Each structure stands twice: as C-alpha cells, then as structure tokens.
C-alpha cells in the first residue's frame, strides 16, 4: 500500500469516527430529552409518578403506543437514507389492514390475514419502487399519488365501514405478554434489531448509504441503483404490512381512515433521530429514540389532559429545531473538511 493510499484510508477512518461520535452524541441528547420529559411529568403529576406500579404500566403503555409507528419508521429510515421519501405508508397500512379483515380473507384464519397484510404491503411498495426507480417519477409525487390511490381503494373495499376482526389470534397480539413484556413491544424490538443488522452489517445497508449519498458514484462503483431503490420501497411496504396487523390487533378492527398522518410521524421520528433528508446518513437506533420522544410527548399531554392542538404545535417546533440543528452541523462539517483539504 502506497503512502497516498494509507492517507486516504486514515482520512476515511477519521470521517467514520467523527460520524460515529456525532451519532452517539445525538442519541445521548435524545436520551436527555426523554429524561427531561419524564421530569416534567413528575413535576406536573407527582401523585401518579409516586406509584411504582403506575410508572411501570405507563412505561409499557408508551412502548406499546410507539410499537406500530416504530416499525413503520424503520422502513422509512431506510428509504430516506437511500435518498427517497415515502408519503404513502399510512395509506398502505390502511389498505393492508382493510384487505386482511375482509370476510373472504378472515375465512382463511389468522395465517391468511397476516399473509394478506404482508403481501399487500410488499405489493404496494413494489409499485412505488417501480414507478420511482424505473418510471423515473420523483419519490414525492409517486408516493403522494399512492397515498390517495391506496386510501381510495381501502375505502372502496371496506365500503367506508369499519371491519371487525373476528380472529382471536390476531386480536390477542395486543394483549399477550411474554415475561411481562407486551407482544407488540417484542415485535418492535425484533424489527429494530433486524433493521440495525441490515443497515450496519450487510452489503444491502452499505449500498443503501452509497445510493443515498451519491447515486452516480454508486452506479460507477457497480451498484444497481434502480434495483436498490426498488428494494428499499419494498422493505418500507413490508414494514407497513407488519404495522397493519399490529394496529388491527390493537383496535380489533380496520378502516380506511386508520394510520392517518403516520407518514409524517415516521418522517419526523427519522429526522429527529439524525437521518438526513438529503439521504446518505441515518441510524435505526436514532430513529427509535425519535419515535420514543414523540410517544412520550403524547403520553405527557394525555396524563395532563392537554389539547391535541398544543401537542401538534410542540411536535412541529421539535421537527423544525431538529432540521435546523441538522443543517447547522452539516454545514459546519462541510466547511471543516474544506479547510482541511
């Protein structure tokens, strides 16, 4: 190895260490935000937090509330890191849930319902991927169109009526606990762990980062950018299929209006967790912390009987602050690299 090659390797290793340190600092910051929110809860409702049993149950409630949107956020994080966006995730969930709870589908039992939800999610994700990767549509336009179309199809299938889940197996997912941990939380944990491994320990993850960072450079390096983009939207659809079953279990029903604005919550959680909207960088753990921050805020407002409108304003302010911090850090790092070079 020449001296020049060694210098390039050392420079790259240095950048990776800085990114790792920045990610660690960001995650610690999100943990600090969660601690602050808990402290606010203790100050505002001390009579509740003085009961250990209530605290434990409330903690599990927060995790359960975060479970479905957390699963969706994992898929969304991959899409954004890959340089895309998916505005159709909420509509995909609704369509998958409605399709899996039709009388015909339920006649095949829980296995048929789960299979249908996953296939519908994957199928819609595949359509998104084909339109974007091979049809060359802008991700924003393609997924916005899918949002409208999927909601419309869900309403058509359900007749704009709520469909009741008759499967005791599906309905029990929301109430089953293993070693005291709700099944929904376990599902979230499995999806997050799988997502982390996929992003950080596989070729698929490295290709995702490369495509999001610089598609042309990724193409010249031998990566099939179109296929990678297609697979990212299929992955997002798969996560939506899982979330559809989770939400159906919690509500014991499905309707075309369910999972409303989930796309915004998932994008916001990913951004809060440090995922760049321009693509090329992001973490699954950071995205999970972002989900937990929003779920904790929702819980804090609920226990204090505060209006949803104020809650939404607070969430909006947090999103703006996160993007501003993200841009500031990115600009600072860019200027630093330019000075060193």
């Amino acid at each position: 190895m020449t001296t020049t090659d060694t210098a390039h390797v050392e420079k790259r290793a240095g950048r990776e260490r800085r990114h790792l340190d920045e990610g660690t600092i960001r995650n610690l910051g999100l943990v600090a935000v969660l601690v602050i929110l808990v402290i606010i809860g203790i100050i505002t409702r001390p009579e509740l937090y003085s009961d250990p049993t209530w605290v434990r149950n409330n903690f599990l409630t927060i995790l359960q509330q975060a479970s479905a949107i957390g699963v969706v956020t994992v898929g969304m994080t991959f899409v954004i890191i890959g340089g895309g966006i998916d505005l159709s995730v909420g509509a995909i969930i609704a369509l998958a849930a409605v399709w899996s709870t039709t009388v015909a589908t339920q006649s095949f039992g829980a296995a048929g319902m789960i299979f249908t939800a996953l296939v519908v999610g994957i199928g819609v994700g595949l359509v998104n991927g084909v339109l974007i990767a091979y049809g060359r549509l802008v991700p924003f336009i393609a997924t916005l169109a899918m949002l409208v179309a999927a909601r419309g199809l869900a309403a058509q299938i359900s007749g704009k009526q709520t469909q009741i889940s008759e499967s005791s197996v599906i309905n029990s997912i929301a109430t089953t606990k293993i070693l005291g941990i709700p099944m929904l939380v376990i599902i979230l944990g499995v999806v997050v762990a799988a997502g982390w491994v996929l992003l950080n320990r596989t070729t698929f993850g490295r290709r995702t980062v490369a495509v999001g960072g610089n598609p042309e450079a990724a193409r010249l390096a031998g990566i099939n950018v179109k296929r990678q983009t297609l697979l990212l939207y299929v992955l997002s659809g798969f996560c939506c299929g899982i979330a559809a079953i989770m939400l159906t279990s919690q509500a014991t029903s499905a309707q075309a209006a369910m999972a409303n604005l989930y796309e915004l919550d998932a994008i916001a959680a990913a951004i809060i967790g440090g995922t760049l909207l321009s693509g090329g960088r992001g973490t699954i753990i950071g995205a999970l912390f972002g989900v937990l921050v929003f779920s904790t805020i929702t819980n804090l407002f609920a226990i204090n009987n505060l209006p949803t409108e104020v809650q939404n304003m607070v969430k909006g302010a947090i999103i703006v602050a996160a993007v501003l911090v993200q841009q500031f850090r990115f600009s600072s790092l860019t200027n630093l690299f330019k000075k060193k070079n």
Side-chain angles (χ1 to χ4, degrees), residues 10-335:
E10 291 178 350
K11 184 180 292 186
R12 181 178 178 182
R15 287 197 297 266
E16 289 178 350
R17 283 195 295 270
R18 282 191 288 271
H19 288 163
L20 180 62
D21 292 340
E22 185 181 355
T24 302
I25 292 172
R26 184 187 300 109
N27 289 342
L28 290 175
L30 291 173
V31 171
V33 171
L34 288 172
V35 171
I36 292 172
L37 291 174
V38 171
I39 292 174
I40 293 175
I42 294 174
I43 294 174
T44 56
R45 297 302 302 272
E47 71 280 7
L48 295 178
Y49 280 88
S50 61
D51 183 357
T53 302
W54 182 89
V55 171
R56 178 181 179 279
N57 292 336
N58 189 56
F59 175 70
L60 292 177
T61 297
I62 292 174
L63 291 178
Q64 284 184 290
Q65 291 175 341
S67 58
I69 187 63
V71 169
V72 176
T73 301
V74 170
M76 181 69 77
T77 301
F78 272 94
V79 170
I80 297 177
I81 292 175
I85 199 76
D86 192 349
L87 300 180
S88 64
V89 291
I92 295 175
I93 292 172
L95 179 59
V98 165
W99 207 322
S100 66
T101 53
T102 60
V103 175
T105 304
Q106 291 197 58
S107 64
F108 292 98
M113 294 174 67
I114 294 173
F115 176 78
T116 299
L118 295 179
V119 169
V120 170
I122 292 172
V124 178
L126 180 63
V127 173
N128 279 336
V130 169
L131 291 174
I132 294 166
Y134 296 94
R136 297 184 180 181
L137 288 182
V138 177
F140 181 90
I141 299 300
T143 57
L144 180 62
M146 183 58 73
L147 181 157
V148 177
R151 287 282 183 193
L153 181 56
Q156 180 69 29
I157 292 174
S158 64
K160 299 182 181 180
Q161 301 296 317
T162 299
Q163 297 181 167
I164 304 300
S165 170
E166 303 292 346
S167 173
S168 59
V169 175
I170 296 296
N171 296 343
S172 65
I173 293 176
T175 57
T176 299
K177 293 184 178 181
I178 298 177
L179 299 177
I181 303 176
M183 177 66 74
L184 292 174
V185 178
I186 293 175
I187 294 173
L188 172 61
V190 170
V191 172
V192 168
W196 185 91
V197 171
L198 189 62
L199 181 62
N200 297 283
R201 294 292 185 267
T202 67
T203 303
F204 181 87
R206 290 190 290 272
R207 288 175 177 171
T208 298
V209 174
V211 169
N214 191 326
E216 182 60 22
R219 186 186 67 80
L220 295 175
I223 297 175
N224 189 327
V225 176
K226 291 182 178 180
R227 183 178 64 186
Q228 187 68 23
T229 301
L230 173 66
L231 292 176
L232 288 173
Y233 283 94
V234 169
L235 176 61
S236 178
F238 176 69
C239 289
C240 290
I242 297 174
I245 292 298
M246 297 169 75
L247 289 179
T248 299
S249 175
Q250 287 178 294
T252 66
S253 63
Q255 56 178 318
M258 70 189 302
N260 187 36
L261 297 181
Y262 261 45
E263 53 278 355
L264 300 184
D265 288 342
I267 293 171
I271 294 173
I272 292 297
T275 302
L276 287 180
L277 271 176
S278 56
R281 193 175 70 188
T283 67
I284 299 298
I285 300 301
L288 175 62
F289 279 130
V291 172
L292 292 177
V293 165
F294 282 125
S295 294
T296 304
I297 290 174
T298 300
N299 180 263
L300 182 62
F301 273 70
I303 64 176
N304 284 283
N305 298 316
L306 295 176
T308 305
E309 293 78 9
V310 179
Q311 174 185 320
N312 291 334
M313 287 189 287
V314 171
K315 286 184 177 181
I318 291 176
I319 294 170
V320 172
V323 173
L324 289 175
V325 170
Q326 201 176 81
Q327 290 180 340
F328 174 76
R329 287 182 176 178
F330 183 74
S331 299
S332 299
L333 287 173
T334 302
N335 294 332

